[in-house]
């Protein structure tokens, strides 16, 4: 049996475009002599559609598109993912099309992802279809995580999914499907979405594994792909490629950034370029995705900015060819402080208030640039800063999209080195100098906490792995540091609540898979 796998990039609610993509793939599969063509979960609607899944008109438009798709499926069978209404509820389904008819729907039974739990309801689960004389078990989404429900002497198992990208998820997914195919003694086909919608990134990486647990086909990651596979045929042996973590995160962010602009009709971006590692990485990514002509940066030095930071930023500007402006903020800062002196009092010491004024001035200038010329302001904060509360509301937290807000500071350096793999884009001095907000004289991040490799290890254990303070201390970390970081994470939830959408690349992004109350005495 020949199965065509169509790994496509869909846009939420773009029914005409999604329909045409699917129909083009059907025609290609027919030309290739496929018996069955398979598309991802919720391919007609795009995902995640959230509350749109509860709108009757949205579901009706999905069904109308499906009818047109079915009409072109002469001489071929198809599995197409879409949300459908069952009674009062919406379920995620695979429509089975045969001889231009919609034969039936296989619906997802298990709703495990928090993104889906509020908007989708459980369906019936695995069902069997007959194609080219073969009995095929079809499962939708996370139902594949219950392999005991997929058995039943099938000739193959097909899973249509919408599995989001997260660090190291691709290799774990391959291991799961290889083991499942071997245990069930049958071929397993996985077809995933690819592309990004707002903050969610789908990596694609669709795959087919033989009954021996060997890969028969591994589709591309982070891009559209198409493959025809002969199940039960003779195949050349292939190896599962090594998944480089930094490269995959880099590719995921590029895909997320590109689709955010393309699908929302944006073309130009702006950001503040400080001479630090975070803004350097975001600028380099933006130029690679959008082109230097569409990226504009502001350099906003203050009396506390070092000369080398300004020069490092200018070196990046020259290397990448971005449009830039230098707007010193020292006079603006003094004007604000002088205006507030009657309120603060003449003898008030310099402190966090004065530091935040500088960050907020920069936020105002960046938003002014964005408003005046229609640029989308990219935020440059990283996950370590968000965890610790090292950011200023309405200052460096300003932006329409956070590019690296789900990337730890130590990983930002890894991405910078990857960007420089073919030559220096980010100046070496930016990679070597001690991180600093430069909001007071001689300020360094290590004035407050240990180096980021240690700090990030503690944060990672707390956030991604859910470890307690005691577990982390018992693993060998300094107790005082652990308690300090824990307290900082807890008391800065209100800042994260007001943060902009963040491209998701971790297993536990803030505000999505880690939702904490602002008002709470737990842990103190």
């Amino acid at each position: 049996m020949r199965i065509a796998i169509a790994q496509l990039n869909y846009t939420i609610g773009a029914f005409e475009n999604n329909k045409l993509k699917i129909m083009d793939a059907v025609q290609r599969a027919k030309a290739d002599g496929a018996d069955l063509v398979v598309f991802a979960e919720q391919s007609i609607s795009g995902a995640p559609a959230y509350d749109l899944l509860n709108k009757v008109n949205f579901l009706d438009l999905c069904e109308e598109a499906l009818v047109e798709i079915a009409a072109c499926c002469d001489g071929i069978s198809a599995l197409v993912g879409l949300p459908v209404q069952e009674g009062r509820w919406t379920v995620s389904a695979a429509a089975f099309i045969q001889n231009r008819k919609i034969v039936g729907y296989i619906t997802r039974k298990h709703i495990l992802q928090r993104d889906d739990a509020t908007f989708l309801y459980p369906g019936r689960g695995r069902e069997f279809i007959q194609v080219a004389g073969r009995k095929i078990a079809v499962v939708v989404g996370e139902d594949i995580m219950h392999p005991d429900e997929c058995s039943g002497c099938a000739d193959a198992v097909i899973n249509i999914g919408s599995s989001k990208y997260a660090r190291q998820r691709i290799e774990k997914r391959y291991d799961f499907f290889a083991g499942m195919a071997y245990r069930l003694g049958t071929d397993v086909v996985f077809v995933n979405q690819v592309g990004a919608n707002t903050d969610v990134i789908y990596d694609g990486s669709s795959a087919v594994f033989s009954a021996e647990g060997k890969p028969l086909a591994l589709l591309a990651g982070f891009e559209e792909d198409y493959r025809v596979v002969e199940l039960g045929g003779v195949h050349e042996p292939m190896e599962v490629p090594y998944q480089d973590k930094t490269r995959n995160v880099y590719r995921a962010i590029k895909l997320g950034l590109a689709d955010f602009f393309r699908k929302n009709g944006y073309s130009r971006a702006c950001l503040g370029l400080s001479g630090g590692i975070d803004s350097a990485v975001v600028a380099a990514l933006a130029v690679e995705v959008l082109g230097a002509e569409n990226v504009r940066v502001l350099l906003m030095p203050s009396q506390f900015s070092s000369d080398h930071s300004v020069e490092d930023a200018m070196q990046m500007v020259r290397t990448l060819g971005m449009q830039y402006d230098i707007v010193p903020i020292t006079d603006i800062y003094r004007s604000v402080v002088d205006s507030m002196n009657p309120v603060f009092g003449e003898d008030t010491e310099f402190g966090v208030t004065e530091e935040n004024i500088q960050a907020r001035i920069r936020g105002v200038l960046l938003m002014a640039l964005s408003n005046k010329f229609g640029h989308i302001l990219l935020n440059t904060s990283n996950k370590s800063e968000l965890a610790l509360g090292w950011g200023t509301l309405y200052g460096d937290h300003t932006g329409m999209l956070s590019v690296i807000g789900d990337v730890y500071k130590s990983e930002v350096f890894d991405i910078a080195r990857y960007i420089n793999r073919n030559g220096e884009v980010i100046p070496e001095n930016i990679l070597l100098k001690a991180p600093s907000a430069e909001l007071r004289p001689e300020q360094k991040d290590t004035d407050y906490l240990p180096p980021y490799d240690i700090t990030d290890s503690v944060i990672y254990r707390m956030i991604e792995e859910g470890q307690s303070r005691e577990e982390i201390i018992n693993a060998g970390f300094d107790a005082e540091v652990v308690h300090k970081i824990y307290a900082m994470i807890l008391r800065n939830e209100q800042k994260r609540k007001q943060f902009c959408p963040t491209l998701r690349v971790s297993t536990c992004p803030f505000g999505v898979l880690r939702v904490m109350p602002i008002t709470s005495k737990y842990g103190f």
Side-chain angles (χ1 to χ4, degrees):
M1 180 176 65
R2 291 171 62 82
I3 294 184
I5 299 170
Q7 178 180 287
L8 304 176
N9 189 338
Y10 308 103
T11 302
I12 297 168
F15 300 107
E16 184 68 16
N17 184 64
N18 295 343
K19 178 192 72 179
L20 292 176
K21 276 178 172 278
I22 292 168
M23 292 171 70
D24 285 347
V26 169
Q27 296 300 333
R28 183 176 179 182
K30 286 196 292 186
D32 289 337
D35 300 299
L36 174 69
V37 57
V38 186
F39 301 89
E41 182 181 15
Q42 296 184 39
S43 52
I44 292 178
S45 61
Y50 300 122
D51 262 323
L52 291 175
L53 296 173
N54 293 319
K55 294 188 177 296
V56 173
N57 184 59
F58 186 86
L59 300 177
D60 286 345
L61 290 169
C62 289
E63 291 279 359
E64 290 173 13
L66 179 66
V67 170
E68 292 188 58
I69 292 166
C72 76
C73 291
D74 51 309
I76 192 171
S77 299
L79 285 168
V80 185
L82 77 163
V84 297
Q85 190 169 9
E86 285 196 346
R88 295 172 52 200
W89 315 119
T90 302
V91 296
S92 184
F96 178 46
I97 300 169
Q98 203 164 44
N99 298 322
R100 302 177 63 186
K101 294 181 180 179
I102 303 168
V103 177
Y105 298 94
I106 300 95
T107 54
R108 197 210 301 184
K109 179 179 180 181
H110 299 281
I111 310 295
L112 304 179
Q113 294 187 32
R114 187 176 291 188
D115 276 11
D116 296 338
T118 307
F119 312 101
L120 291 172
Y121 291 83
R124 298 176 301 278
R126 180 267 291 148
E127 294 188 27
F128 295 102
I129 61 173
Q130 293 282 339
V131 177
R134 301 290 187 91
K135 180 181 179 183
I136 302 170
V138 179
V139 290
V140 179
E142 295 142 324
D143 286 3
I144 198 69
M145 303 306 293
H146 301 265
D148 55 308
E149 298 178 8
C150 303
S151 58
C153 300
D155 296 308
V157 174
I158 295 178
N159 174 219
I160 69 165
S162 54
S163 178
K164 303 173 183 66
Y165 174 74
R167 191 186 297 108
Q168 296 180 307
R169 181 163 289 169
I170 296 173
E171 50 267 50
K172 291 179 181 177
R173 195 189 292 140
Y174 285 161
D175 288 343
F176 171 80
F177 282 112
M180 178 183 177
Y182 182 78
R183 288 193 303 274
L184 294 180
T186 188
D187 297 336
V188 174
V189 179
F190 168 66
V191 184
N192 196 23
Q193 290 226 16
V194 69
N197 286 304
T198 313
D199 55 338
V200 174
I201 302 167
Y202 299 102
D203 59 87
S205 305
S206 303
V208 182
F209 285 88
S210 71
E212 293 77 32
K214 302 296 182 182
L216 300 181
L218 300 174
L219 276 68
F222 308 103
E223 60 186 76
E224 291 190 330
D225 201 359
Y226 169 90
R227 199 75 54 85
V228 176
V229 181
E230 182 83 41
L231 295 188
V234 178
H235 297 270
E236 291 292 326
M238 62 183 305
E239 296 293 329
V240 176
Y242 170 71
Q243 299 295 321
D244 183 282
K245 182 184 73 171
T246 300
R247 178 174 180 266
N248 281 346
V249 170
Y250 166 81
R251 295 179 71 198
I253 291 173
K254 279 185 58 180
L255 176 59
L257 186 60
D259 274 1
F260 184 83
F261 275 75
R262 179 177 63 84
K263 292 182 179 181
N264 287 295
Y266 305 136
S267 59
R268 295 175 296 173
C270 65
L271 64 141
L273 195 64
S274 67
I277 189 72
D278 298 318
S279 62
V281 165
V282 174
L285 287 164
V287 167
E288 190 160 349
V289 169
L290 304 172
E293 70 279 7
N294 293 314
V295 180
R296 187 168 183 172
V297 297
L298 279 187
L299 283 66
M300 297 169 286
S302 75
Q303 66 269 41
F304 304 118
S305 299
S306 61
D307 292 339
H308 63 74
S309 288
V310 177
E311 178 51 37
D312 291 339
M314 282 304 303
Q315 186 176 335
M316 275 208 71
V317 166
R318 291 189 290 268
T319 300
L320 294 174
M322 300 174 288
Q323 185 177 355
Y324 76 98
D325 297 276
I326 301 177
V327 183
I329 68 166
T330 300
D331 290 344
I332 305 173
Y333 166 75
R334 286 174 178 158
S335 176
V336 173
V337 172
D338 289 345
S339 298
M340 292 301 293
N341 270 341
V343 179
F344 293 162
E346 294 289 343
D347 298 328
T348 303
E349 290 185 4
F350 182 99
V352 173
T353 300
E354 287 72 23
E355 293 183 14
N356 287 344
I357 287 172
Q358 297 170 65
R360 291 190 175 113
I361 289 170
R362 290 180 172 122
V364 167
L365 297 177
L366 287 166
M367 283 306 305
L369 178 67
S370 172
N371 292 158
K372 180 61 70 175
F373 298 109
H375 292 70
I376 298 303
L377 177 57
L378 299 178
N379 182 273
T380 61
S381 299
N382 62 66
K383 189 168 188 172
S384 305
E385 293 170 342
L386 290 175
L388 299 170
W390 283 356
T392 303
L393 286 174
Y394 326 119
D396 50 349
H397 276 201
T398 304
M400 193 165 180
L401 179 71
S402 172
V403 179
I404 57 171
D406 201 23
V407 179
Y408 291 95
K409 182 79 170 190
S410 50
E411 291 182 305
V412 176
F413 283 92
D414 293 337
I415 294 173
R417 294 184 187 96
Y418 186 81
I419 289 170
N420 284 355
R421 65 196 182 279
N422 296 321
E424 187 174 280
V425 175
I426 297 173
E428 188 68 15
N429 192 51
I430 290 179
L431 290 164
L432 296 177
K433 67 184 175 185
S436 170
E438 294 192 335
L439 297 174
R440 62 168 66 233
E442 304 299 324
Q443 185 182 36
K444 297 189 296 294
D445 291 1
T446 50
D447 295 338
Y448 308 96
L449 283 171
Y452 275 108
D453 56 346
I454 297 173
T455 299
D456 284 352
S457 295
V458 175
I459 300 173
Y460 183 88
R461 287 169 178 264
M462 288 182 179
I463 303 300
E464 313 287 334
E465 298 184 349
Q467 292 185 9
S468 67
R469 285 167 288 187
E470 292 73 20
E471 288 176 301
I472 299 171
I473 293 167
N474 290 338
F477 291 88
D478 181 82
E480 183 179 349
V481 169
V482 171
H483 284 289
K484 184 176 182 179
I485 291 174
Y486 189 88
M488 292 174 76
I489 291 174
L490 287 183
R491 68 170 173 258
N492 283 289
E493 189 63 32
Q494 76 279 6
K495 289 186 178 181
R496 293 187 287 272
K497 290 284 187 183
Q498 299 186 58
F499 198 60
C500 57
T502 302
L503 296 178
R504 301 193 218 169
V505 295
S506 78
T507 56
C508 191
F510 287 124
V512 180
L513 298 181
R514 188 183 186 278
V515 182
M516 302 293 285
I518 293 175
T519 304
S520 172
K521 292 297 182 182
Y522 173 78
F524 288 102

